Amino acid sequence: MASNDRNNRGWGSQPRQEAPHHTISTSDVQLKDIPQNLFSEIAKEKATKVFEAGGGRKNKSTQLRRFYDELVMWFEKVHFERTPQERQAKYQEVAPFIQMLVAKVAYAKGRDYVDGCFETLFAHLICQIKDADSLHHAKLFMEAFMGFYKAQE
C-alpha cells in the first residue's frame, strides 16, 4: 500500500542511503586510572576512526569543535580561579548541564551531523565525568582528539 511506502521514506523523499556501519571501541578511554597513552596513541586512534567513519559527509571538524568548545566552557566555569573545594562545589552545580551533552550529541546524530562512532565516543567520555578532575581529563582527551582529527583533514 502507498501509505506504508510513505511511512518508510517520508513524503516524496528517496530511501535513505545508509553509510557503511562503523563501530568504535571505548574501553581504553578511561578518565579514572588514566592510561599512560590516553592523550597520545588512544586519542589518535579514536580520531582516525571517527574521521574514517564520517566519510567526508559527517563528523566535520566544525561540528565536532562545537562539542569540544562547550566542554571547554564547562571546564572553565568549574576550574577558573577556584580552590579544589570550590571546584567540586561548582562542578556539582553544573553537572546536569555537562551530562546534557549526551543528549546534544544524540540530537546531532539524529540530524546526520555526526555518526554513531563519534556519538558513542563522546557519550562514553561525558558519562565518565563525575567530578572536577574527571572533567579536566575529559577536556584534555578531547583537546588531543581534536588535534589529531584536524591533522587528518
Side-chain angles (χ1 to χ4, degrees):
M1 179 173 200
S3 65
N4 191 20
D5 188 44
R6 281 192 307 264
N7 288 339
N8 290 335
R9 295 192 334 221
W11 290 95
S13 67
Q14 296 298 317
R16 197 180 242 187
Q17 294 291 329
E18 293 296 324
H21 183 66
H22 294 275
T23 59
I24 192 166
S25 170
T26 58
S27 61
D28 52 352
V29 179
Q30 298 299 319
L31 300 182
K32 189 174 183 170
D33 301 325
I34 298 173
Q36 177 177 317
N37 60 346
L38 180 63
F39 306 129
S40 55
E41 289 98 9
I42 294 172
K44 184 176 184 178
E45 181 221 329
K46 301 312 176 195
T48 301
K49 183 71 173 174
V50 169
F51 182 80
E52 290 170 355
R57 191 175 72 76
K58 297 179 186 179
N59 302 334
K60 296 190 185 272
S61 64
T62 53
Q63 183 67 35
L64 304 188
R65 180 75 191 210
R66 290 181 182 143
F67 290 101
Y68 170 67
D69 288 346
E70 186 166 348
L71 187 61
V72 169
M73 182 264 304
W74 290 117
F75 167 79
E76 289 174 350
K77 284 186 184 285
V78 169
H79 283 264
F80 189 70
E81 294 184 4
R82 296 183 192 278
T83 66
Q85 295 80 14
E86 291 171 333
R87 286 180 194 146
Q88 196 53 38
K90 187 64 173 178
Y91 170 78
Q92 292 302 323
E93 180 184 320
V94 302
F97 302 102
I98 295 169
Q99 293 301 310
M100 188 175 173
L101 285 167
V102 174
K104 289 181 177 186
V105 76
Y107 177 79
K109 182 180 181 287
R111 298 286 305 210
D112 245 6
Y113 297 141
V114 301
D115 80 316
C117 282
F118 181 74
E119 178 191 31
T120 298
L121 176 66
F122 193 73
H124 173 77
L125 191 69
I126 298 304
C127 289
Q128 290 184 75
I129 300 173
K130 304 294 183 203
D131 54 28
D133 288 339
S134 57
L135 174 60
H136 185 207
H137 299 147
K139 178 219 163 253
L140 291 174
F141 175 80
M142 282 304 296
E143 182 178 336
F145 171 91
M146 291 303 299
F148 287 121
Y149 192 89
K150 192 67 176 168
Q152 294 186 63
E153 292 185 316

